[in-house]
Amino acid sequence: MKGMVYKKHLGKGRHKLEMAPLVDVVFQLLIFFLVASEVRPTEADFKTNLPAAEGPLDRRAERKDVARVYLRNLDPDGKAVEVSLNNEVLPGDAFKELERRLRAARTEKMLVVIEGDPTVKLKFVAKALDSAVAAGAPQITFGKPQT
Amino acid sequence: MLLKQAPQKRPEINIIPMVDIVFQLIIFFLVATQVKKQEITGLQLPIAKTPEEIKKDETPPLIINIVRPEIDKARPYIVMGNRFDLEGLKRFLRNRKKSLELTDGTMPILRIRADRDSQFKEVQNALIACRDIEIWKIRLSAIKKKD
């Protein structure tokens, strides 16, 4: 074609891979994962039995190896609790004391019933569960809700 | 004596090792973290020493989340993204009973993920709602405390 000039590629040297955009993208990815992610905590389960609010709970009263744990709120905000075992308030580090006493009283068929004020925070219930499991209690359950 | 002069060359920063390291970091974050896709934002499980770690094949068909009263006092139960009060939860579970039944006619294990500051009565009521549809095996979730 007349008058049309094709530009020749002038660079005859080795083709270079452009790194700068790649680095940009990689940094973007890195920042995304830093912002959008979090370290995964180890989630675990307490294996609990259901509180049978009617019949079986009444029958529990007949059993001699029932350990009744009661958690009572010490202030309206529920920041502290009093721990009782079979109506006896536990002194000092109550949850450690609870574990010690449950271990001492443990039998093959012992049933630990965890009860408490309705507004007791779950973190304290989890501590009581922890003490009962650590003491080797074979059966743990929750009492029916207090009214 | 003639000293050979090194050829004059513009110094360059070698960015390839840096890209390697950045990719390593991205892979680390991909493997060690999870994208925030929690059903409930701000739900903090209680911390405990003794719960058993969840096995990968042990995902229950239904999870009941319980938020603390500051988030939603009237409807503290969240199941499959829906918020419920106690009556709503009971209704939801009753309606789902058929679809939850296992092939042998028994009911599956159910997991309760309750905030550490949620109230004990909410957990107890959730347990009773489960009992009403004959779910007897319950797992109460906690974060496993490392010694």
Side-chain angles (χ1 to χ4, degrees), chain B residues 22-79:
Chain B
V22 170
F23 266 117
Q24 292 284 345
L25 283 169
I26 287 173
I27 290 162
F28 168 76
F29 282 114
L30 273 171
V31 172
T33 65
Q34 64 176 1
V35 175
K36 280 182 183 168
K37 55 173 184 182
Q38 287 176 328
E39 203 175 344
I40 317 301
T41 49
L43 195 140
Q44 292 179 307
L45 297 178
I47 298 163
K49 283 185 213 161
T50 55
E52 293 170 32
E53 282 185 31
I54 298 167
K55 289 170 195 155
K56 279 190 177 169
D57 58 342
E58 215 188 48
T59 308
L62 206 64
I63 298 171
I64 299 175
N65 298 279
I66 305 174
V67 296
R68 57 181 176 272
E70 293 83 43
I71 292 180
D72 195 338
K73 198 172 183 177
R75 294 179 305 156
Y77 304 104
I78 304 177
V79 187

Side-chain angles (χ1 to χ4, degrees), chain A residues 20-42:
Chain A
L22 177 75
V23 174
D24 285 350
V25 170
V26 165
F27 268 114
Q28 292 284 347
L29 282 169
L30 185 64
I31 290 161
F32 168 76
F33 283 113
L34 276 169
V35 172
S37 63
E38 61 179 18
V39 176
R40 187 186 302 205
T42 315

Side-chain angles (χ1 to χ4, degrees), chain A residues 117-120 145-146, chain B residues 73 77 119-126:
Chain A
D117 289 350
T119 54
V120 158
Q146 302 288 310
Chain B
K73 198 172 183 177
Y77 304 104
Q119 297 180 333
F120 189 29
K121 67 174 176 189
E122 313 293 12
V123 179
Q124 288 172 307
N125 287 332

